[in-house]
């Protein structure tokens, strides 16, 4: 039977694995690192990275779930729609592979 500490470590391991898998994806990295210096909305990200808007929304959702990005601000468009501007919460990521478990180092933005 697992104790609470083991369950916590398993959860932390799972999140680390999810982050590593996300950062291994070239499209996820492109989205994440294009919003390090300046918050951008999904359409601007899609245009800058030459990706479909649906792909960008999917990636933004994953990054937000992993708390790698945050909504920096909201703006209202001329059409009255609320637009989210996303910003990266990290400015550098390092994955070290060695031993049994990869190590993930993230530097705050």
């Amino acid at each position: 039977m697992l104790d609470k500490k083991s369950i916590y470590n398993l959860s932390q391991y799972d999140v680390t694995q999810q982050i590593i898998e996300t950062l291994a994806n070239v499209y996820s990295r492109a989205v994440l690192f294009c919003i390090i210096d300046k918050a951008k909305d999904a359409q601007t990200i899609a245009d800058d990275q030459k990706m479909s808007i649906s792909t960008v929304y999917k990636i933004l959702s994953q990054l937000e779930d992993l708390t790698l990005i945050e909504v920096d601000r909201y703006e209202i468009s001329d059409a009255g729609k609320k637009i989210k501007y996303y910003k990266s919460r990290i400015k550098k990521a390092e994955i070290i592979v060695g031993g049994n478990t990869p190590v993930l180092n993230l530097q705050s933005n």
Side-chain angles (χ1 to χ4, degrees), residues 24-61:
N25 181 292
V26 67
Y27 299 107
S28 296
R29 275 196 320 271
V31 169
L32 181 64
F33 291 115
C34 87
I35 54 176
I36 287 176
D37 297 323
K38 182 179 176 187
K40 297 178 183 178
D41 66 300
Q43 187 61 58
T44 303
I45 295 168
D47 294 343
D48 288 353
Q49 300 304 311
K50 298 181 181 23
M51 292 182 196
S52 72
I53 190 72
S54 62
T55 298
V56 170
Y57 275 122
K58 181 179 176 185
I59 291 168
L60 288 171
S61 176

Side-chain angles (χ1 to χ4, degrees), residues 16-103:
T16 299
Q17 285 302 112
Q18 289 177 348
I19 292 172
I20 289 171
E21 289 170 14
T22 299
L23 293 176
N25 181 292
V26 67
Y27 299 107
S28 296
R29 275 196 320 271
V31 169
L32 181 64
F33 291 115
C34 87
I35 54 176
I36 287 176
D37 297 323
K38 182 179 176 187
K40 297 178 183 178
D41 66 300
Q43 187 61 58
T44 303
I45 295 168
D47 294 343
D48 288 353
Q49 300 304 311
K50 298 181 181 23
M51 292 182 196
S52 72
I53 190 72
S54 62
T55 298
V56 170
Y57 275 122
K58 181 179 176 185
I59 291 168
L60 288 171
S61 176
Q62 291 170 341
L63 294 173
E64 198 169 15
D65 287 347
L66 293 169
T67 68
L68 295 175
I69 64 171
E70 62 189 353
V71 176
D72 185 62
R73 69 182 187 279
Y74 295 92
E75 289 186 7
I76 305 298
S77 72
D78 294 338
K81 291 178 74 176
K82 187 180 351 178
I83 301 170
K84 292 181 181 180
Y85 282 78
Y86 299 91
K87 185 143 184 178
S88 176
R89 296 184 70 218
I90 62 170
K91 65 180 171 182
K92 184 177 179 182
E94 178 181 44
I95 301 169
I96 302 167
V97 179
N100 294 332
T101 306
V103 176

